[in-house]
Amino acid sequence: MKVRKLEWSIITNVGGGYCALVNEFQTSYAIWFSDGKTLTGDPDNNHKEHTSKEDAMEWCQKDFELRANQLFE
């Protein structure tokens, strides 16, 4: 199954970051920066540290694809 690319929006409040809405799960992925760290939040509200914004976006995309494939099998 082909899964769409996440579309990232810039968050301008709460210190900034990025958000990708996932209507399929009625939730979103978030990326933010704190104390020199790049962090993500997944649809289950788990937090993970990444080496860069790009690494975080790639991780979110892969996680989304895995979840979407499991949901629509």
Side-chain angles (χ1 to χ4, degrees):
M1 172 181 160
K2 182 164 171 68
V3 179
R4 69 176 176 84
K5 287 281 202 188
L6 293 173
E7 296 178 28
W8 294 96
S9 300
I10 295 174
I11 300 170
T12 57
N13 61 352
V14 193
Y18 298 87
C19 178
L21 296 177
V22 182
N23 294 328
E24 296 88 343
F25 307 143
Q26 297 181 351
T27 189
S28 62
Y29 285 92
I31 299 172
W32 67 96
F33 311 99
S34 178
D35 297 325
K37 299 176 183 175
T38 302
L39 304 166
T40 55
D42 69 14
D44 295 329
N45 205 28
N46 297 311
H47 299 164
K48 182 169 174 56
E49 187 175 334
H50 302 274
T51 58
S52 67
K53 174 187 79 170
E54 292 77 16
D55 178 50
M57 287 179 171
E58 183 178 319
W59 181 87
C60 291
Q61 183 66 44
K62 287 179 182 178
D63 185 73
F64 172 57
E65 290 172 6
L66 177 67
R67 290 170 187 266
N69 283 324
Q70 289 174 346
L71 181 65
F72 297 114
E73 281 184 336

